[in-house]
Every structure is written in C-alpha cells, then in structure tokens.
Amino acid sequence: MSDTGGDQGPKSTFSTYMAEGDQLFHKGEYVKAIESYSTALIIQPDERNCLVARSKCYVKMGDPDNALRDAEASLKEDKEFFKGLYQKAEALYTMGDFEFALVFYHRGHKLRPELQEFRLGIQKAQEAIHNSVGSPSSVKLENKGDLSFFHQTDDGRESMVKTVRPTGVIHPLRREMKQQNQKMAKLLLGELYSDKEYLEKLLKDEDLVKSKMRGGERLQDIIVNCITYLDTRTEFWRQQKPIYARERDRKLTQQKWNKSRQNPPFDPTRFVLKNLEEIDAALTVGDAEGSLKKAQEVLKSVQGWSEDVVPNKKEVLGNLHSCIGNALIDLGEMNKALDNHQKDLDLARQYKLPDAMSRALDNVGRVYARIGKFPQAIDAWEEKIPLARGGLERTWLFHEIGRCYLELKRYHQARDYGARSLAAANEIADEKWQLNACVLVAQSEMRLGNFTSSVAHFEKALDRALPEDPARDAIRKALSEARQCL
C-alpha cells in the first residue's frame, strides 16, 4: 500500500511504487493501483510508463477523461511513444470517439506494425464505427474514396487526413437518450436497468433529493450523475453491437450451429478478439504457460469452425500459431516455436496476407538467431525487407541482419547492413538505434582493419549513450582498443 508519509513525501523508491501498482492492477484493485502510481509520479513526475499504467487503471474504472489526460501526458516528450499512442487510442475508444481512436490505432500500427494490439484496435474501432453509422451503402458520403488516415506531404512527412463523415449522420453519443426505446435500454443494460429505474424513482422523492451527503454533495447531483452515466453506457454498448444486429446474429448463428456439431460462441469475432487480448496480456506479464494454454484452446475451437462462422479464419489461425510460437520462445522450446511460426508463414503465403507474412518472417528469423542458425535467420529477415513499414522497423531489421553477418564473420556485409540501419535510424532521429547501429559498424570496421572508421563510429556511439546506460563502459573499452590499433 502506498504511503506518502504525511508531509514528508514518499517513503520508498519510484520502482517500488511502480511494482506495487502493477501488482495491484493485475489483482483488479484499480483504486489502490492508482494511489501507488500517483505516489510514484511524485518521485518522478511525467514518467511516461507510469502515466500509461495509471491511464489503464482509469480505463478499467470507467473514467476515460483522466485516462486520456494521462495518455496525452505520456506523449508530451515523444509523440511516437507507442505505449502512449495505444493508451490514447484506448481512452478515446472508451469515450466513444471511435473515429479518433482509429486514427491513433493506425498511427501506432505504422510505427510498430509487429504489435498485435494495434491491429486488434483497428479492427474493433472499425467495427464500432460501422455499428454507429450503419452499413456504408445506407449512407451517402461527402466525397469518394476510403477512410485514409495518413498521406505523404511533399517533404515526405506524414500528416493526418480529416476523416470523411457521412452526411446527415449525428454522432450517436450526442443523441438524446429520450429517443431510445425503453426495451432497447433494458436489453443493453441488463441487470443494471433495475438500478436505473430505482435511481429514477429516488429522483422523484423531493424531500430525499434536497438532502446532502456528509461531504456536502447534494444527493440529487449524485443520482443525476449516476443516471447520466448509465445512459451514456447504454448508447456506448448500442454502438458496439446494436440490438437488431444481436438478434440477427443470434438467428444466423443458431442456424449454422444446427448444421454442425461444433458450438462456437455467440459472437465468434468478439470471442477471438477478447481471447487474443488475454493471450497477449498473459505473455506481457510473464505468464507464458497461461498464454500458451489459452492460445491452444482457442486454436482448437477455431479449427472446428467453418469459413461462414469466421470469414477470416486463415488469418485468425495464423495469428494463433504466432501467439503459440511466442509463448514457446519464452518457455525455451525453440523447435516447437519454430514449427508454429512456420505454420503462420505457410498460411500467410498461401492466402497472400502481407502483414501476417511480415510478422511470421520476423518470428522465424528470431528463432533461428536464438538457436545460432544465422544463415537461416538472414534468409528470413532479408525476405521481410520489402514488407517492412516505417523507419523504425527497417532500422532494427537491418541491424539484426548485420548482427547475424557479424556472427558469421562476414564483416563486409555486417558493415553494410550496419550502415543501412544507421541511415534509417538517422531518418527517424532515434538515438537508441543510432547507438546500436554505430556500434555494429564500428565492430565490423575494426574486424576489417579500418581502425579510423571504427574509432569514429565508437565515438558517435559513446556520444549517444546515456550516463546510466550499462553499454557505456563497454563502448569505452572497445573505443580504447580501437585507438590502440591506430
């Protein structure tokens, strides 16, 4: 439990409060977790990872305003901080601003296309937008073309394109709840509908609503806020899955189930999305065994469904094989991991899925590199090069290929890929990858006997190393050795 020690400030360290907050978050104790993160932020104000963590708590508590505030604060120094971008998108999605959420899911996906969270975010935001405005054929658009969120300007920079809105469509969250059918609200709120009715009855008690709470708050204000919240949630849930769509899906799905012995859940798409999120979350917190078990269970279910139930079945199967492979890597079972990533790659090639192919080639190369099969890792990663999106992905891809060549003592190729990695890192002004690329070039040049170039690149790497960076001492030592060879 966090303890700020009265007026004396926090009694423990930043990392202690962060760890405490993380533990409380995973237990579902979000209020206490917020207290711990807030105490940590007293010690290190504006620490972006802590801000993201607290934002997640606010989302869980249904407080998207504070969630958005923390997410935006985490992006203050670095607008491309992918965790902050994802959390901002999540906060906007929770607020019902699906179009803006989609913009930031797309932005994060362009920066980190290998992360599944952004792909899932894009999918659920697009579905929510579709549910909000109806079928594209039922509304008239102001101009033609798809909903593109980014374009290249003349100087090569990315800029946002304003989303095309259908004419005559009012944002659903701005509609008056009085227009909502009582039956629809009851179906959407479920058990909470009786609570709403009870609150509305309390509001009619004139004597009661005039009273105040111990803290001085008027009871009437509290009741009105609660009813407003439930009204907002009603509309939000209606957007995500309209009643007519639920009834239609239920009938269609039931017909399909009657023709099959397999029993997929009521909404397979949401089932898959929900489980993929849980699989990723388990792996993120270090529960590789739990992630693996759930992924294998979902895989077994999806394999038994038809293409009618899951139209993108092959893509889902590839995704699940990828999740299983990543969990197996963490568990050290490399051969099994390679087998699953290869299945992901085979499906991607067979059905021409470029994003899935890029992901699979990345993971196949990663496994080969981990087990020391550097030629195979190079083959996989070099095949991925045309599929790489964005400067960051090219930077680390060139670097990893160069490292493999260095291990194989093919120093000319290692230097060339190091130089390509450095050029890509310079384009995006990423100091971390500039450092890594400079070290790779310096090591390659040293092996080739080009000591002057080696010294110059080690010096550039040292300039970019932070004082607390553990690599700083290693770079100093290598620089000293290179200078002695001059």
Side-chain angles (χ1 to χ4, degrees):
M1 188 91 179
S2 62
D3 185 359
T4 57
D7 297 331
Q8 298 178 6
K11 292 183 177 180
S12 193
T13 64
F14 172 82
S15 58
T16 300
Y17 289 119
M18 270 293 291
E20 180 185 65
D22 292 342
Q23 187 178 21
L24 290 166
F25 177 85
H26 293 303
K27 288 181 178 179
E29 299 180 26
Y30 305 121
V31 174
K32 292 181 180 178
I34 287 173
E35 291 177 3
S36 294
Y37 292 135
S38 298
T39 306
L41 287 167
I42 294 173
I43 301 171
Q44 290 190 29
D46 301 325
E47 205 287 324
R48 61 185 190 177
N49 289 297
C50 191
L51 286 165
V52 166
R54 192 170 68 175
S55 177
K56 290 179 181 178
C57 292
Y58 284 128
V59 167
K60 291 289 187 181
M61 293 176 62
D63 186 357
D65 291 325
N66 277 319
L68 180 61
R69 191 174 296 111
D70 275 353
E72 290 180 332
S74 75
L75 294 165
K76 185 178 180 181
E77 299 298 328
D78 180 6
K79 300 299 182 185
E80 295 186 350
F81 175 45
F82 74 94
K83 292 182 181 178
L85 285 173
Y86 178 74
Q87 196 53 37
K88 183 172 182 177
E90 288 285 279
L92 288 166
Y93 181 88
T94 306
M95 296 173 79
D97 289 335
F98 302 123
E99 296 94 337
F100 289 109
L102 183 58
V103 168
F104 288 97
Y105 285 131
H106 268 292
R107 184 176 293 180
H109 181 62
K110 286 178 74 71
L111 291 170
R112 297 295 299 271
E114 76 278 10
L115 294 180
Q116 187 165 271
E117 293 94 325
F118 289 114
R119 291 194 295 273
L120 295 175
I122 290 169
Q123 187 170 347
K124 72 179 183 181
Q126 287 175 337
E127 182 183 352
I129 292 169
H130 176 80
N131 288 337
S132 298
V133 301
S135 172
S137 61
S138 65
V139 291
K140 181 181 178 181
L141 297 179
E142 291 178 1
N143 56 358
K144 297 180 181 180
D146 61 354
L147 296 179
S148 300
F149 293 93
F150 300 90
H151 75 285
Q152 291 291 121
T153 58
D154 294 337
D155 60 359
R157 292 181 291 107
E158 288 180 345
S159 66
M160 287 175 54
V161 179
K162 185 177 180 182
T163 305
V164 179
R165 277 188 178 273
T167 56
V169 174
I170 304 172
H171 195 292
L173 285 179
R174 294 174 188 159
R175 294 174 182 164
E176 291 294 327
M177 285 306 300
K178 291 180 181 178
Q179 298 175 2
Q180 295 299 316
N181 181 277
Q182 188 180 44
K183 179 180 177 182
M184 179 180 286
K186 190 171 184 178
L187 284 168
L188 285 166
L189 286 174
E191 295 178 0
L192 291 177
Y193 187 74
S194 60
D195 295 331
K196 182 173 180 286
E197 285 185 317
Y198 178 71
L199 289 170
E200 288 172 342
K201 287 179 181 178
L202 288 181
L203 201 57
K204 295 177 182 178
D205 189 332
E206 295 181 2
D207 293 331
L208 180 66
V209 295
K210 291 178 182 178
S211 60
K212 294 184 178 181
M213 303 292 287
R214 290 184 180 180
E217 300 165 289
R218 291 198 311 160
L219 190 57
Q220 182 180 13
D221 294 338
I222 295 173
I223 295 172
V224 169
N225 287 338
C226 289
I227 294 173
T228 302
Y229 173 79
L230 289 173
D231 285 344
T232 304
R233 292 297 87 188
T234 302
E235 184 64 11
F236 178 72
W237 291 326
R238 188 198 66 77
Q239 285 179 316
Q240 295 206 55
K241 198 66 177 175
I243 291 298
Y244 72 85
R246 295 185 186 188
E247 293 173 347
R248 179 197 61 199
D249 288 350
R250 186 183 298 113
K251 291 176 182 178
L252 291 175
T253 305
Q254 188 62 49
Q255 292 172 2
K256 293 168 185 172
W257 291 356
N258 292 336
K259 297 177 182 179
S260 172
R261 292 182 180 178
Q262 299 295 334
N263 290 311
F266 167 66
D267 189 334
T269 300
R270 291 193 182 279
F271 171 82
V272 171
L273 287 173
K274 179 177 179 293
N275 279 280
L276 284 174
E277 289 175 354
E278 291 176 358
I279 290 164
D280 276 349
L283 195 61
T284 300
V285 300
D287 184 12
E289 290 183 355
S291 177
L292 175 62
K293 182 179 179 182
K294 180 170 281 293
Q296 289 173 332
E297 290 172 352
V298 177
L299 177 66
K300 186 176 180 180
S301 296
V302 176
Q303 284 173 333
W305 301 344
S306 68
E307 292 281 354
D308 292 333
V309 176
V310 185
N312 59 337
K313 178 179 176 179
K314 303 303 181 185
E315 189 172 355
V316 172
L317 290 174
N319 226 319
L320 289 165
H321 280 300
S322 178
C323 292
I324 291 171
N326 289 334
L328 289 167
I329 289 175
D330 283 8
L331 292 171
E333 299 186 36
M334 295 301 171
N335 290 331
K336 291 181 180 179
L338 183 60
D339 179 59
N340 277 278
H341 287 309
Q342 189 62 52
K343 288 178 180 177
D344 181 22
L345 181 57
D346 292 343
L347 286 166
R349 282 176 171 158
Q350 183 179 355
Y351 295 96
K352 296 180 173 59
L353 305 170
D355 287 343
M357 189 181 298
S358 179
R359 174 190 67 218
L361 287 168
D362 175 20
N363 289 323
V364 167
R366 194 155 56 99
V367 176
Y368 276 131
R370 288 277 291 270
I371 61 180
K373 294 186 176 182
F374 300 113
Q376 292 92 330
I378 290 170
D379 288 343
W381 281 334
E382 287 187 333
E383 186 180 348
K384 175 184 166 71
I385 290 174
L387 302 172
R389 296 181 179 179
L392 182 61
E393 188 172 13
R394 288 194 297 272
T395 297
W396 66 256
L397 183 58
F398 293 148
H399 179 270
E400 294 307 299
I401 296 172
R403 292 296 307 175
C404 288
Y405 277 121
L406 190 66
E407 292 288 343
L408 294 171
K409 300 181 180 179
R410 295 170 64 177
Y411 302 125
H412 283 96
Q413 291 93 331
R415 178 192 60 191
D416 292 345
Y417 270 107
R420 292 174 73 178
S421 177
L422 181 57
N426 287 337
E427 286 179 7
I428 60 175
D430 190 310
E431 292 192 353
K432 175 186 174 182
W433 283 104
Q434 287 172 340
L435 184 155
N436 293 335
C438 282
V439 169
L440 175 57
V441 173
Q443 289 175 318
S444 303
E445 293 283 40
M446 191 170 181
R447 300 295 193 282
L448 291 168
N450 301 326
F451 301 116
T452 301
S453 176
S454 178
V455 167
H457 281 90
F458 274 132
E459 288 176 342
K460 289 179 181 178
L462 191 61
D463 289 341
R464 287 166 174 77
L466 297 173
E468 67 274 12
D469 194 331
R472 194 175 180 86
D473 291 338
I475 295 171
R476 277 206 190 98
K477 183 178 178 181
L479 176 59
S480 177
E481 293 176 358
R483 282 172 173 165
Q484 291 175 6
C485 296
L486 288 173

